[in-house]
Amino acid sequence: MDAMTSNLATEALAQRLRAHAVRMTNAARASHVGSCLSMADILAVLYGAAMRYDPARPDWEARDRLVVSKGHAAAIVYAALAEAGFIAVSELATYAQNGSRLAGHVTRTVPGVELSTGSLGHGLPVAAGMALAAKRAGADWRAFCIVSDGELDEGSNWEAIQFAQHARLDSLVAIIDYNKIQSFGTVAEVSDLHPLADKFRAFNWGVREIDGHDHAALTEALTAGPALAGRPTAVVAHTVKGKGVSFMEDRLAWHYKNPDDEQVIAALAELGAD
Amino acid sequence: MRNETVAALTAYAGANPDVMLLTADLGYSVLEQFAEKLPEQYCNVGVCEQAMVGIAAGLALSGKRVALYSIANFPTLRCLEQLRNDVCYHDLPVTVISVGGGLAYGSQGYTHHGLEDLGIMAALPNMAVTCPADPHEAEELLPQLMERRGPAYLRLGRAGEPVLHEAGTPVTLGRAAILRRGSDVALLATGPILARALAAADALADEGISATVASFPAISPLDEAAIAELAAGHRALLTIEEHSIHGGFGSRVADLLMERGAGVRMAKWGTTDALRGQVGSQAWLLDQLPPIAARAKALL
């Protein structure tokens, strides 16, 4: 597949993931749809172009690992696993329902999930541990970790960021879903991360700063090797919370609200879904 | 007992290349024996206990069994949520080894006193919680915890604890050991404070009181059968631990006796808030608490 065809395929996948997330959060009356939509393109490129995996063998030793540290974006993670073939698309209707295995935060009992998350600041240290295991084993699989911007307030991330560069974990890739909105307001208002890319550079990480909705840029950033030889890579992905649904975009309220039935119809129309 | 434990871990890891040891930059003059023999299985992650537990979970999810080493509250309370979510929720083979349990770091002060760890660790799901009394219990427990392939906590004293068991005494995870048999009162001890329990039994004997002394190297799994037997065979039980009297070994024994409706008098001997802020050696601090023998006698 040439690059342009690949981008078209992952862009279409991203829109399907968004449509799933809108339907799932509506059916479950669940929060965090805005957090899901901002990382749809990242997930689509990871599963559609960048990662090595086999849905028939979720425990395949040589697979690339993805830790989703922003576990509240569970709906779109399960949607991505369904589209990738780990679970049935029909199971998405059980999201956050009684007795379902699709918990409201990312849960490892779902095939393809590497780590249960939900409390922020847990994913990156674990992904660093995975990358350390790969390095000690001389294996070539990579450890990706998606972190939100707000969760970078957690000190445990910076412990891992410091450790990972010292340990030369060059198979570790942290993807920051930098949508600029956290729980109580904008990142700039609550605890400003600017200049975020420079923070990673100062920690001796290689940095790729990109538009997190540009599939060509995402594919390049997530398939290339380390941005700095021998060091972990931070992909600072500038995103828009609620991306793809005009009335959700860049709106704090959609961290909490779930779309009602009319809003679902409007959102799906914008996403080109039924 | 830390040196014996690290020697046992080094031997075990030498035979099991899937075992790794992480430290958060503590263990100077203790961990070198492991690091020099097995450098590929060792990693000093720096002073970062939260990340250390996460890294351990990542290693365990990648097929490793991981031992963590630090002191007092650092590898337990500092990183409690990582232990709960990353390790216990995922039921991973991670063994936390903490040196300086109880008041072992005496005059270093309250930050270095581990007085709530047993109760808090035992509240976590799937967590085996052990508190060996002497080097023999520690080196016997270590491989059993590794073989168990689940979350575990090994709370050690420091260095120079006397061997209290006779040579060759079997130590089994979840089983108590009777060191002395009596008939009036049973002293149930966990950890190196067992030495004081044995001394208390001597003092009680001088007063004509016959005391049983039992060692409980594990809080979880708790040897419930042994506790039931001791309750049935004595007029009173006294639990003894170098840990807060709230929520630890004694509380778990009390829970069990209450649930079973055992009609036996029971009290807990342990640390109280009176020690907070006091400066002194481990022995001196323990001496500030009411004597064990007097507490046992008062039960009869």
Side-chain angles (χ1 to χ4, degrees), chain B residues 8 11 18 75 100 145 179 208-209 224 233 264 272 274 277:
Chain B
D18 61 318
L145 295 176
L179 282 86
I209 296 168
E224 299 186 355
V264 63
T272 67

Side-chain angles (χ1 to χ4, degrees), chain A residues 188-203:
Chain A
E189 290 165 344
V190 176
S191 185
D192 198 359
L193 287 168
H194 181 76
L196 182 56
D198 286 346
K199 288 182 171 64
F200 280 97
R201 287 189 192 102
F203 274 84

Side-chain angles (χ1 to χ4, degrees), chain A residues 176-231:
Chain A
I176 297 86
D177 180 10
Y178 198 7
N179 62 33
K180 322 290 188 305
I181 292 180
Q182 58 187 102
S183 181
F184 234 86
T186 65
V187 170
E189 290 165 344
V190 176
S191 185
D192 198 359
L193 287 168
H194 181 76
L196 182 56
D198 286 346
K199 288 182 171 64
F200 280 97
R201 287 189 192 102
F203 274 84
N204 294 325
W205 281 52
V207 177
R208 297 196 172 101
E209 191 164 14
I210 60 166
D211 175 348
H213 303 303
D214 177 336
H215 284 242
L218 279 166
T219 302
E220 164 64 22
L222 297 175
T223 54
L228 182 63
R231 306 283 185 161

Side-chain angles (χ1 to χ4, degrees), chain A residues 108 116 119 122 126 129 136 159, chain B residues 40 42 51 54 81 86 89-90:
Chain A
R108 186 173 152 81
S116 300
S119 177
H122 283 249
V126 176
R136 291 286 171 99
E159 293 183 0
Chain B
E40 285 301 307
Y42 172 80
E81 197 187 56
D86 304 345
Y89 186 17
H90 294 82

Side-chain angles (χ1 to χ4, degrees), chain A residues 61 63 65 103 106-108 114-117 119-122 125-130 132-133 136-137 141 154-156 159-160 163 166-167, chain B residues 20 22 39-59 61-62 64 78 81-83 85-86 89-90:
Chain A
E61 180 67 29
R63 72 192 184 281
R65 274 68 166 173
V106 172
T107 300
R108 186 173 152 81
E114 300 287 353
L115 183 74
S116 300
T117 52
S119 177
L120 298 174
H122 283 249
V126 176
M130 292 171 171
L132 178 62
R136 291 286 171 99
W141 52 265
E154 295 280 4
S156 51
E159 293 183 0
F163 167 76
H166 180 80
Chain B
M20 284 195 68
L22 306 184
E40 285 301 307
Q41 291 166 252
Y42 172 80
C43 187
N44 179 357
V45 300
V47 189
C48 55
E49 293 78 13
Q50 295 179 69
M52 175 168 70
V53 175
I55 292 162
L59 288 165
L61 286 165
S62 308
K64 305 291 186 188
R78 181 60 172 262
E81 197 187 56
Q82 279 78 12
L83 290 171
N85 291 359
D86 304 345
Y89 186 17
H90 294 82

Side-chain angles (χ1 to χ4, degrees), chain A residues 11-153:
Chain A
E11 282 164 8
L13 173 58
Q15 293 300 79
R16 290 202 299 280
L17 300 186
R18 289 188 166 98
H20 286 309
V22 167
R23 289 192 194 96
M24 290 163 75
T25 51
N26 162 263
R29 297 280 174 262
S31 302
H32 305 129
V33 66
S35 313
C36 288
L37 298 186
S38 80
M39 60 184 268
D41 298 298
I42 295 167
L43 284 174
V45 170
L46 283 171
Y47 283 100
M51 284 206 304
R52 180 167 70 198
Y53 63 92
D54 177 357
R57 293 180 292 164
D59 294 327
W60 179 31
E61 180 67 29
R63 72 192 184 281
D64 289 334
R65 274 68 166 173
L66 172 63
V67 172
V68 179
S69 193
K70 45 175 291 188
H72 52 285
I76 202 154
V77 172
Y78 301 145
L81 292 172
E83 288 286 343
F86 285 94
I87 61 174
V89 171
S90 59
E91 188 177 349
L92 297 178
T94 71
Y95 172 62
Q97 305 295 328
N98 293 337
S100 170
R101 61 179 176 173
L102 305 187
H105 285 84
V106 172
T107 300
R108 186 173 152 81
T109 46
V110 181
V113 170
E114 300 287 353
L115 183 74
S116 300
T117 52
S119 177
L120 298 174
H122 283 249
L124 196 50
V126 176
M130 292 171 171
L132 178 62
K135 189 177 182 72
R136 291 286 171 99
D140 70 345
W141 52 265
R142 298 200 288 166
F144 294 93
C145 181
I146 302 177
V147 299
S148 72
D149 44 15
E151 80 167 305
L152 285 174
D153 297 350

